[in-house]
Amino acid sequence: MARVGLTAERLTRAAADLADEIGFQNVTVSALARGFDVKPAALYSHVKDVRDLRARVALLALAELADRAAAALAGRAGKDALVAFANAYRGYAKEHPGRYAATQIELDSVDTSAGRPHADMTRAILRGYALSEPDQTDALRMMHSTFHGYVSLEAAGGFRRHPRDVDASWFRALDALDAVLRNWPPA
Amino acid sequence: MARVGLTAERLTRAAADLADEIGFQNVTVSALARGFDVKPAALYSHVKDVRDLRARVALLALAELADRAAAALAGRAGKDALVAFANAYRGYAKEHPGRYAATQIELDSVDTSAGRPHADMTRAILRGYALSEPDQTDALRMMHSTFHGYVSLEAAGGFRRHPRDVDASWFRALDALDAVLRNWPPA
DNA sequence: GCAAATACTTAAAGGCTGTAAGTTAACGAG
DNA sequence: CTCGTTAACTTACAGCCTTTAAGTATTTGC
């Protein structure tokens, strides 16, 4: 009965890795316990329940994504910043599909401030486009929608029916986004 | 032991309704059986397994969405068509969140042609914008991404952190989409 | 009216969640 | 260094879900 040294943090990281391997929805207390050679019940000392576990993975993923996006954004402005951010976003989603899926759950009660850094950074991108409220928020929502929509449709295989190169379409979407942000239509 | 008259179709419709009520992920063979006052095992004569059941809901939802979009599109062109389609899409997703969620699963083996009518219609919208390949496909992918991204972020509560009216942002996104389609940036 | 097909039930195995109670390892204090 | 306490993990169990197999009863069609 050697003790393994479980921790909420270790469990969360392992759960995130597991999510990337087998899909976020398949992350289960039992599967996670198996990975540590431990009985499922052992996890309940460190994590409230499976919902809590998944919320922790979501927070981890949001933090990682924010880090990556911040690094991509450093020293860039305008379209350069837009493209760097977008590629960091999409890159993270492709490398870590399970973690990315985790970011999409509703973490209501938990931590409403988790999306904050993300929102701050996307606003930073828009600084290069001279938009004032409420246009800025509208543009931000559209931008986020485009990124998330593209990435999740791509992941779900929604673009596989057409031979057109998926990366090429992505870059054209960024061109289009840049164009519309530079010339945001008046209300 | 009165016979209820189960059918794959009836089960699928009931499952879709259930999905809208309790969420697509919570649609379960047991819950569905309960609704018909029948034992879970009874469903397995009509439906292969829970995966099959969910795939059927997805196909139903895709068909319904296509119908609705077709009706919205009838007799319209250009921005008019774009807005009508977009509103039909978003309206369906809001009225039928469970069904909409179903459309996002990968129905690999099942029926690769399920997304066909959808793709055809979105191409019909783009006819008003005089785009030729590969721009047309790029624009279509961006459009779909924007719709899906907006709708799913909205459903996940991603826009609730800011007071800006969510409908207003939506219409501005459509304006922006129309603008960028009319003036699609050259490669 | 009867045989055969069909619809549903019972039974059962296996997996997952989560709680409660038991055991044992680790650790601080005297 | 040993004792007592805390914390980590296990065992045991209840409840729910999936899915298969076998049984029963109802309907259908000849």
Side-chain angles (χ1 to χ4, degrees):
Chain A
M1 302 187 178
R3 301 197 178 187
V4 184
L6 299 180
T7 307
E9 285 68 37
R10 287 190 63 194
L11 288 173
T12 303
R13 271 193 296 274
D17 291 344
L18 193 59
D20 287 335
E21 282 168 36
I22 65 174
F24 181 62
Q25 288 304 329
N26 300 321
V27 169
T28 190
V29 174
S30 294
L32 192 56
R34 233 171 279 135
F36 283 96
D37 251 304
V38 142
K39 304 295 169 189
L43 305 203
Y44 288 89
S45 320
H46 306 279
V47 143
K48 191 169 161 291
D49 54 20
V50 76
R51 203 177 148 70
D52 177 41
L53 176 67
R54 295 202 176 119
R56 284 169 191 268
V57 174
L59 293 178
L60 171 68
L62 283 169
E64 288 179 352
L65 183 52
D67 279 358
R68 219 189 244 222
L73 233 44
R76 293 182 212 269
K79 185 178 180 182
D80 216 34
L82 174 75
V83 171
F85 179 91
N87 285 331
Y89 187 96
R90 179 163 172 252
Y92 185 80
K94 290 185 89 150
E95 281 174 45
H96 299 294
R99 282 165 157 93
Y100 183 73
T103 67
Q104 297 305 318
I105 63 171
E106 288 201 69
L107 15 90
D108 27 37
S109 61
V110 189
D111 200 337
T112 177
S113 68
R116 185 58 50 76
H118 199 267
D120 289 349
M121 269 183 307
T122 44
R123 287 205 187 265
I125 295 171
L126 293 183
R127 226 172 279 139
Y129 291 97
L131 290 166
S132 50
E133 291 292 7
D135 288 354
Q136 193 181 87
T137 296
D138 294 340
L140 187 149
R141 286 174 172 172
M142 181 182 184
M143 195 174 77
H144 193 179
S145 296
T146 307
F147 295 164
H148 169 56
Y150 201 96
V151 155
S152 65
L153 288 176
E154 183 182 7
F159 294 152
R160 264 180 236 145
R161 273 190 289 274
H162 196 284
R164 168 67 169 163
D165 181 65
V166 180
D167 285 344
S169 286
W170 167 254
F171 287 114
R172 300 308 309 285
L174 297 186
D175 289 343
L177 211 45
D178 171 65
V180 84
L181 288 173
R182 269 189 287 105
N183 207 350
W184 191 253
Chain B
M1 296 182 181
R3 300 196 177 187
V4 185
L6 299 180
T7 307
E9 285 68 37
R10 285 190 65 193
L11 287 173
T12 303
R13 271 194 297 274
D17 291 345
L18 193 59
D20 287 336
E21 280 169 37
I22 66 174
F24 181 63
Q25 289 304 331
N26 300 321
V27 170
T28 190
V29 174
S30 293
L32 192 55
R34 232 172 279 135
F36 283 95
D37 252 303
V38 142
K39 305 294 169 190
L43 305 204
Y44 287 87
S45 320
H46 307 279
V47 143
K48 192 169 161 288
D49 53 21
V50 75
R51 203 178 150 69
D52 176 41
L53 176 66
R54 295 202 176 121
R56 283 169 191 268
V57 174
L59 293 179
L60 172 69
L62 283 169
E64 287 179 353
L65 183 53
D67 280 357
R68 218 189 245 223
L73 234 42
R76 294 182 212 268
K79 185 177 180 182
D80 216 34
L82 174 75
V83 171
F85 179 91
N87 285 331
Y89 187 96
R90 179 163 172 251
Y92 185 80
K94 291 185 89 149
E95 280 173 45
H96 298 295
R99 283 167 157 92
Y100 183 73
T103 65
Q104 297 307 318
I105 63 171
E106 288 201 69
L107 15 90
D108 26 38
S109 61
V110 191
D111 200 338
T112 177
S113 69
R116 185 59 50 76
H118 199 267
D120 289 349
M121 268 184 308
T122 45
R123 286 204 188 266
I125 294 171
L126 293 183
R127 225 172 279 140
Y129 291 97
L131 290 165
S132 50
E133 291 293 6
D135 288 354
Q136 194 182 87
T137 297
D138 294 341
L140 187 149
R141 286 173 171 172
M142 181 180 183
M143 195 174 76
H144 193 179
S145 296
T146 307
F147 295 165
H148 169 56
Y150 200 97
V151 155
S152 67
L153 288 176
E154 182 182 8
F159 295 152
R160 263 179 236 145
R161 272 191 289 276
H162 196 283
R164 168 67 169 163
D165 181 64
V166 179
D167 285 343
S169 287
W170 167 253
F171 286 114
R172 300 309 306 287
L174 297 186
D175 290 343
L177 212 45
D178 170 66
V180 84
L181 289 173
R182 269 190 285 106
N183 205 352
W184 191 253

